[in-house]
């Protein structure tokens, strides 16, 4: 029972992050599937359509990488080195998630304001 409790996959925060990721991914895929006809994507410039789709895919990939890093922490013989490396990896992931969210927000605004 103690072994089950200490497994990272059973951590409640990781489960919440997974559920949030899955909801975001499904909603972004649905939006990507209907934006062209539902929001007149055919009337928008090509660069706006490409920017929107590429940034949505980048956002999903960055979120997946973040979830994967949390699921698989580094294991090393030296605990201090392992924690420092894990902290650096988390900082990189946090930056990539923020950057991809900024790009997606910019693409979303650009798409709806372009004509």
């Amino acid at each position: 029972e103690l072994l089950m409790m200490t497994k990272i996959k059973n951590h409640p925060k990781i489960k919440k992050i997974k559920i949030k990721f899955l909801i975001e991914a499904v909603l972004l895929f649905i939006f990507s599937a209907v934006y062209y006809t539902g929001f007149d994507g055919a009337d928008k410039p090509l660069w706006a359509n490409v920017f929107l789709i590429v940034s949505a895919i980048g956002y999903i990939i960055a979120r997946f990488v973040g979830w994967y890093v949390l699921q698989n922490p580094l294991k090393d013989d030296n605990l201090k080195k392992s924690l420092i490396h894990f902290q650096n990896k988390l900082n990189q992931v946090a930056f990539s998630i923020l950057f991809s969210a900024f790009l997606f927000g910019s693409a979303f605004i650009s798409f709806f304001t372009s004509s």
Side-chain angles (χ1 to χ4, degrees), residues 58-76:
Y59 181 77
I60 291 171
I61 289 172
R63 289 289 186 159
F64 177 75
V65 168
W67 175 72
Y68 182 77
V69 166
L70 286 175
Q71 281 286 102
N72 301 307
L74 302 172
K75 295 177 177 94
D76 197 3

Side-chain angles (χ1 to χ4, degrees), residues 39-73:
F39 297 110
D40 297 328
D43 297 336
K44 305 289 182 179
L46 179 63
W47 65 267
N49 287 305
V50 171
F51 187 36
L52 184 67
I53 295 300
V54 168
S55 64
I57 292 170
Y59 181 77
I60 291 171
I61 289 172
R63 289 289 186 159
F64 177 75
V65 168
W67 175 72
Y68 182 77
V69 166
L70 286 175
Q71 281 286 102
N72 301 307

Side-chain angles (χ1 to χ4, degrees), residues 31-106:
F31 174 75
S32 298
V34 300
Y35 88 96
Y36 196 75
T37 55
F39 297 110
D40 297 328
D43 297 336
K44 305 289 182 179
L46 179 63
W47 65 267
N49 287 305
V50 171
F51 187 36
L52 184 67
I53 295 300
V54 168
S55 64
I57 292 170
Y59 181 77
I60 291 171
I61 289 172
R63 289 289 186 159
F64 177 75
V65 168
W67 175 72
Y68 182 77
V69 166
L70 286 175
Q71 281 286 102
N72 301 307
L74 302 172
K75 295 177 177 94
D76 197 3
D77 293 336
N78 189 342
L79 182 61
K80 184 177 179 181
K81 284 183 184 179
S82 180
L83 288 174
I84 290 171
H85 192 268
F86 188 61
Q87 181 185 16
N88 291 338
K89 194 69 149 167
L90 287 177
N91 286 337
Q92 291 173 354
V93 166
F95 177 77
S96 69
I97 288 173
L98 286 174
F99 185 71
S100 66
F102 174 76
L103 280 180
F104 180 67
S106 299

